[in-house]
């Protein structure tokens, strides 16, 4: 996966509605969801939802399939895993990335 694909995917997710749509499709799994179900679940107008679904499809994060008269949208788990893999491939220079209690922020510290 190249940087341009990663940037396109992250840019698509950098919007509240698109992030919510993508997460709903991840939860739905392989079955996917129709736009009408998504619109009802997320309380998003159909026109706005159509725009956001198009952006997610163009970024490669969501697939669209026509079954009879319905469109089914699904999260593209391969693309999602590719983005996550790219972001974490050199995590902690190969060392474990778990924070120990000693390296965690103190309770109540702003930003923790």
């Amino acid at each position: 996966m190249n940087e341009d694909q990663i940037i396109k995917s992250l840019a698509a997710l950098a919007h509240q509605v698109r992030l919510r749509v993508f997460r709903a499709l991840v939860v739905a799994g392989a079955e996917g969801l129709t736009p009408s179900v998504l619109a009802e679940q997320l309380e998003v107008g159909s026109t706005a939802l159509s725009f956001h679904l198009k952006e997610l499809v163009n970024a490669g994060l969501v697939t669209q399939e026509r079954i009879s008269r319905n469109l089914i949208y699904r999260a593209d788990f391969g693309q999602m895993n590719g983005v996550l893999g790219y972001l974490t491939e050199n995590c902690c220079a190969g060392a474990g990335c778990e924070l120990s209690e000693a390296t965690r922020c103190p309770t109540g510290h702003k930003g923790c």
Side-chain angles (χ1 to χ4, degrees), residues 35-106:
S36 60
V37 170
L38 275 168
E40 185 177 322
Q41 276 185 7
L42 303 175
E43 299 177 350
V44 176
S46 60
T47 303
L49 180 62
S50 177
F51 169 78
H52 293 301
L53 284 167
K54 179 180 150 197
E55 291 296 310
L56 290 166
V57 169
N58 286 339
L61 290 166
V62 169
T63 63
Q64 175 191 59
E65 180 183 8
R66 179 169 294 282
I67 298 177
S68 185
R69 296 171 61 191
N70 295 316
L71 290 174
I72 306 294
Y73 288 89
R74 295 179 183 91
D76 186 327
F77 292 102
Q79 179 78 2
M80 179 187 77
N81 288 331
V83 170
L84 293 173
Y86 180 88
L87 293 173
T88 60
E89 78 180 323
N90 296 314
C91 181
C92 303
C97 295
E98 293 296 318
L99 292 176
S100 69
E101 287 301 317
T103 59
R104 294 185 194 273
C105 294

Side-chain angles (χ1 to χ4, degrees), residues 8-53:
K8 198 172 189 180
S9 293
L10 293 174
L13 292 173
H15 187 280
Q16 183 180 19
V17 173
R18 287 193 291 270
L19 183 59
R20 290 173 55 218
V21 168
F22 184 73
R23 291 187 67 186
L25 292 172
V26 167
V27 170
E31 186 176 318
L33 295 171
T34 63
S36 60
V37 170
L38 275 168
E40 185 177 322
Q41 276 185 7
L42 303 175
E43 299 177 350
V44 176
S46 60
T47 303
L49 180 62
S50 177
F51 169 78
H52 293 301
L53 284 167

